[in-house]
């Protein structure tokens, strides 16, 4: 097994949606894209956040976990519990 270090300099963003009024819903990860927090910001703040953190932008489907526990709040409010 290869010894891999957790690299805190790697940062990722995955846009999960946009709301009226220019708000961007997204997931932000540090080190590993599979473990993320969900955030929402106005478009200008989101763009500044991405530039300040030098993020890698992921497409909506990349590196998402699969299975029964692979959901986020966006999925829950828009798909699972309607």
């Amino acid at each position: 097994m290869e010894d891999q270090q957790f690299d805190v300099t790697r940062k990722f963003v995955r846009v999960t949606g946009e709301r009226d009024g220019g708000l961007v819903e997204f997931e932000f990860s540090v080190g590993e894209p599979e473990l993320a927090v969900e955030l929402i910001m106005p478009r200008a703040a989101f763009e500044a956040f991405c530039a300040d953190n030098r993020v890698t932008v992921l497409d909506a489907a990349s590196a998402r976990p699969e299975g029964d526990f692979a959901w986020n709040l966006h999925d829950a409010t828009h798909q699972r519990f309607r």
Side-chain angles (χ1 to χ4, degrees), residues 34-82:
E34 296 83 8
L35 183 62
V37 296
E38 295 177 74
L39 300 169
I40 186 168
M41 293 181 182
R43 169 64 61 188
F46 169 74
E47 291 173 1
F49 178 86
C50 291
D52 291 346
N53 285 286
R54 296 183 183 107
V55 302
T56 299
V57 178
L58 304 171
D59 64 45
S62 68
R64 293 285 311 268
E66 295 181 9
D68 290 340
F69 297 102
W71 58 273
N72 58 26
L73 288 176
H74 182 270
D75 293 340
T77 57
H78 291 90
Q79 298 170 6
R80 290 185 173 255
F81 304 111
R82 290 212 101 179

Side-chain angles (χ1 to χ4, degrees), residues 3 14-15 21 23 25 28-29 32 41-43 45 60 73:
D3 184 29
R14 179 183 297 108
V15 174
L23 295 174
E25 298 174 355
F28 175 66
S29 307
E32 299 292 334
M41 293 181 182
R43 169 64 61 188
L73 288 176

